[in-house]
Amino acid sequence: MLRVYNTLHKKKEEFKPLRDKKIGMYVCGPTVYGPGHIGHARTYIAFDIIRRYLEYSGYKVKYVVNLTDIHDDIISKANELGITLFELADKNIAVFFKDMDSLGIKKADVYPRVTEHIKEIVDFVKVLQEKGFAYETDDGVYYDISKFKDYGKLSGIKVKEQKTGTRVKTDKYEKDRVQDFALWKKQKDPSEPAWDSPWGKGRPGWHIECSVMSSKHLGEQLDIHGGAVDLIFPHHENEIAQSEAHSGKKPFVKYWLHSGFLNVEGQKMSKSLGNFIEIPQLLEKRDARAFRFFVAGLHYKSRIDFSEKGMEKVEKTLEKWDNFIERLLEWNNGKENSAVEKIVEKARKEVIAAMDDDFMLPNAWASLQGMQTAVNKLMNEGKFGKNDAAAVLELLKELDGFLQVFKFEKGGGELSKEQQELIKKREKLRAEKKWEEADAIRKELAGQGILLDDTPAGTKWKIVKK
Ligand code: AMP
Ligand code: ZN
C-alpha cells in the first residue's frame, strides 16, 4: 500500500486516487527564458521517478508539465537578444526537451504552453470576476483573497492585513491589498506582447496558467500536483484559490507533493553569485546518468547540496554498479545456488516497501547495496551460476524501469579515429593555453557523448549514453 506525504495535511497519507487506477498528475514546468538549470533537473527527475513508480505499481498516469512561455523575464531577455518572445521560447524549449531526454526523463503526455491557452485563461478569469472573486483596476484584474475563506490552507499563511478601503500602490501595481495577485496584466507599453480581452489588451499573470491548463488537460480535480518547495507560497496557494473558487469548492488537488530545493556548494543558485549551472553546462562535464543517480539516491523532499565533490563520490558508486552489472553479464561459471532466489526476492520486497513509503529511495538503495555485497561474495566464492546472474539482472532491469540509472551493455566503447585526433588536438591547444578553442572541442565531443576529464596524468575520456 502506497503512502505519500501530503503538504496539504502535513502528514503521510494512504494514496487513494480519485478515479480508481487512473491518475492525473501535474507538475509546474519551467519558465523558458533560458535553458533549464540543475534545480529544474532535480525536480523533474524526482517526479519522473514518482511517475514511473506509479506506473510500475499498475497505475495509469496522465502527466502534464506546463511551459511558461510568457513572463516578465522572458520579455526582457527577448528584448535584450533582439528576438521575439516566441523565438526565444522555442529555442529554449527545444534545449529543455533534449536535456530531459538525456536525463532519462520520460516525456510528459502534454506540455501545454501559456500562449496557446489565452482564450481559456480569459474565460477562466471572466468566471472569477462574475463570481465576485476578482476585480478590475487601471492596470489589471486582481484576485481578491479576502473572498476565499480557505486562503492559506496549504502554506499556513495568515491573512492579517485588513482592507483599508484605499488602494495600495506597490512598486508596480495598483490593487486593494498587497497579497492580492494579478490574474491579468494590462498592456502598459505598445512594445509589450498583448492579447485582446474584455479588459483591453494585456497578458495573463503567472498563477492563473496552472489552474487553467491543469483543468483543461486533467479536469477540475487532480490526484497529484507537484513542484519544488519554493512554490508552496504563493504560487500553489494561489492556484488553490483560483481553481476552487472557479469550480465551486471542489478540492482542486488530493495530494500536494513538494520536492526539496537544490543549492550549489551551500548557496542558492543565482546568476549574480556566478554559481548558476544550466543543464547543458553540467552535461558537458558530467554523465547525465551520474546526475540522475545523485538525485535518485535521495528522498525527493531532501534538500540537495550540489557540489563537485558530491558528484565525484556518486560517480564512484555508480561505477561500482556498472562493474557489478558487467560482471553479471559476463558471468559464465559456477553452480546454481538456491540462496540467490531468496536474496533477489528479499531485495525486490524491500525496494517496493521503501518506495511505497513516500518513495523512500535511500532505503531502497540500502537494500540494493546489500544485495550487491551478498552477490559479489557468492561470486568470489564460486557459489553462483549463470541462471543466478540472470535472476539478479532481471531484478535490476525491472527496477530500472523507474530508476533509469543502470547500464546493461558491456564495455566502455571505442573512439573513432576522428575523435582520438580531436582529443590530441585539444591537449595541444591546452598546452598552448588556447582555452577557448580547447573548450569548443570539449563541447563538440560532449555532443557526441564523450566526456573528458583533465587529470594530472593527461586527458581521460568516457563514453556516455546520449
Ligand atoms: P521555474 O522555472 O523557476 O518556474 O521552476 C520550474 C520548476 O522547477 C518548479 O517546479 C520549481 O519549483 C522547480 N525549481 C526551480 N528551482 C529549483 C531548485 N533550485 N531546486 C529544485 N527545484 C527547483
Ligand atoms: Zn504552477
Side-chain angles (χ1 to χ4, degrees):
M1 194 232 312
L2 174 64
R3 287 161 62 79
V4 300
Y5 182 89
N6 188 353
T7 312
L8 188 60
H9 302 131
K10 296 180 187 50
K11 61 175 195 298
K12 273 189 214 170
E13 295 173 345
E14 191 181 325
F15 183 68
K16 284 197 209 135
L18 296 161
R19 290 161 289 255
D20 193 29
K21 286 275 170 192
K22 280 196 186 148
I23 296 175
M25 176 167 169
Y26 184 95
V27 173
C28 292
T31 308
V32 291
Y33 62 89
H37 55 66
I38 61 174
H40 292 133
R42 186 265 182 278
T43 286
Y44 299 124
I45 292 171
F47 284 104
D48 182 63
I49 295 176
I50 290 175
R51 173 215 193 167
R52 286 177 186 263
Y53 182 69
L54 290 168
E55 288 171 345
Y56 169 86
S57 308
Y59 292 105
K60 200 167 170 345
V61 184
K62 184 170 177 191
Y63 186 49
V64 179
V65 175
N66 63 302
L67 299 168
T68 305
D69 62 352
I70 174 97
H71 186 276
D72 292 357
D73 290 344
I74 303 181
I75 299 171
S76 51
K77 187 80 196 175
N79 286 341
E80 187 189 313
L81 296 173
I83 57 176
T84 69
L85 187 80
F86 300 101
E87 285 166 335
L88 179 67
D90 283 349
K91 190 175 108 192
N92 289 321
I93 289 169
V95 175
F96 178 74
F97 285 159
K98 188 166 162 274
D99 290 343
M100 293 298 102
D101 201 41
S102 303
L103 291 163
I105 295 168
K106 188 171 159 183
K107 271 204 159 28
D109 295 289
V110 194
Y111 287 105
R113 287 174 67 155
V114 185
T115 55
E116 289 169 2
H117 290 76
I118 303 290
K119 185 186 173 306
E120 288 90 338
I121 291 174
V122 167
D123 289 345
F124 202 104
V125 176
K126 266 203 294 203
V127 171
L128 290 178
Q129 196 179 17
E130 280 157 21
K131 289 191 167 190
F133 289 96
Y135 59 90
E136 187 180 353
T137 70
D138 285 346
D139 64 8
V141 180
Y142 292 88
Y143 190 98
D144 180 352
I145 62 164
S146 70
K147 295 278 161 54
F148 187 70
K149 295 290 163 271
D150 281 343
Y151 196 85
K153 70 174 171 182
L154 180 71
S155 60
I157 227 88
K158 298 250 185 320
V159 186
K160 279 206 197 101
E161 190 199 347
Q162 293 304 313
K163 248 190 197 170
T164 55
T166 51
R167 290 254 151 99
V168 288
K169 265 197 192 287
T170 62
D171 48 348
K172 279 193 196 146
Y173 303 108
E174 193 189 345
K175 48 193 177 177
D176 282 358
R177 62 166 72 210
V178 182
Q179 286 143 306
D180 287 354
F181 57 91
L183 297 164
W184 187 260
K185 297 177 175 178
K186 294 184 184 174
Q187 189 185 40
K188 289 185 175 162
D189 181 291
S191 69
E192 288 176 12
W195 289 263
D196 288 326
S197 82
W199 317 282
K201 277 188 170 302
R203 63 179 189 272
W206 170 33
H207 313 293
I208 193 68
E209 66 182 76
C210 290
S211 285
V212 173
M213 299 197 293
S214 66
S215 68
K216 166 151 187 204
H217 297 284
L218 294 168
E220 285 180 329
Q221 294 186 284
L222 318 179
D223 293 288
I224 296 177
H225 191 320
V229 280
D230 61 319
L231 297 189
I232 296 174
F233 183 81
H235 186 54
H236 290 161
E237 195 68 64
N238 291 350
E239 281 188 36
I240 294 176
Q242 295 164 155
S243 293
E244 296 188 1
H246 184 271
S247 74
K249 277 282 181 184
K250 272 188 230 158
F252 170 43
V253 171
K254 193 154 183 200
Y255 304 98
W256 281 98
L257 269 54
H258 289 101
S259 55
F261 221 58
L262 177 143
N263 290 330
V264 172
E265 311 271 359
Q267 276 179 309
K268 193 170 168 178
M269 246 192 305
S270 86
K271 291 234 154 112
S272 56
L273 283 176
N275 65 351
F276 196 91
I277 307 176
E278 289 176 344
I279 306 172
Q281 239 176 324
L282 172 85
L283 299 186
E284 267 167 35
K285 294 212 175 131
R286 302 282 182 189
D287 184 353
R289 201 161 58 91
F291 185 79
R292 184 170 175 111
F293 188 62
F294 191 166
V295 175
L298 301 164
H299 188 246
Y300 71 93
K301 290 182 83 64
S302 314
R303 206 177 316 153
I304 293 191
D305 188 23
F306 178 86
S307 66
E308 293 295 328
K309 270 217 177 90
M311 269 309 280
E312 279 159 24
K313 217 172 112 194
V314 161
E315 280 171 353
K316 285 209 179 89
T317 315
L318 184 59
E319 205 175 309
K320 279 194 193 141
W321 275 105
D322 287 349
N323 294 339
F324 177 62
I325 289 174
E326 217 167 291
R327 197 176 182 201
L328 288 167
L329 288 166
E330 283 166 0
W331 194 256
N332 220 344
N333 45 323
K335 264 206 354 249
E336 312 305 327
N337 184 342
S338 61
V340 175
E341 200 185 313
K342 285 195 199 98
I343 293 175
V344 168
E345 256 333 291
K346 181 169 171 277
R348 177 184 277 115
K349 266 207 193 116
E350 286 175 357
V351 170
I352 291 174
M355 292 301 285
D356 276 347
D357 179 18
D358 195 34
F359 317 102
M360 202 54 85
L361 283 154
N363 294 358
W365 282 106
S367 307
L368 289 174
Q369 198 57 55
M371 178 181 80
Q372 191 199 96
T373 309
V375 167
N376 265 327
K377 185 162 175 279
L378 292 180
M379 285 168 134
N380 294 343
E381 293 166 355
K383 295 177 185 161
F384 194 80
K386 205 169 158 49
N387 288 338
D388 295 331
V392 177
L393 283 169
E394 197 184 291
L395 173 70
L396 293 177
K397 277 190 187 150
E398 178 187 317
L399 301 179
D400 204 47
F402 56 88
L403 294 171
Q404 291 286 301
V405 291
F406 297 128
K407 190 176 83 182
F408 293 99
E409 310 96 53
K410 280 188 227 174
E414 290 292 327
L415 294 187
S416 70
K417 247 210 153 98
E418 290 78 19
Q419 290 165 337
Q420 288 173 23
E421 287 301 321
L422 276 175
I423 292 178
K424 272 196 206 134
K425 189 171 153 201
R426 181 173 169 277
E427 280 190 289
K428 202 164 151 265
L429 289 167
R430 279 171 56 81
E432 293 161 6
K433 299 203 179 341
K434 292 183 178 157
W435 308 118
E436 266 180 34
E437 286 165 69
D439 227 41
I441 294 180
R442 177 201 279 283
K443 281 190 187 154
E444 187 181 340
L445 287 169
Q448 300 170 17
I450 294 149
L451 298 187
L452 304 179
D453 186 12
D454 299 309
T455 72
T459 300
K460 288 191 183 154
W461 54 266
K462 184 159 85 174
I463 299 184
V464 298
K465 231 181 358 197
K466 267 282 143 186

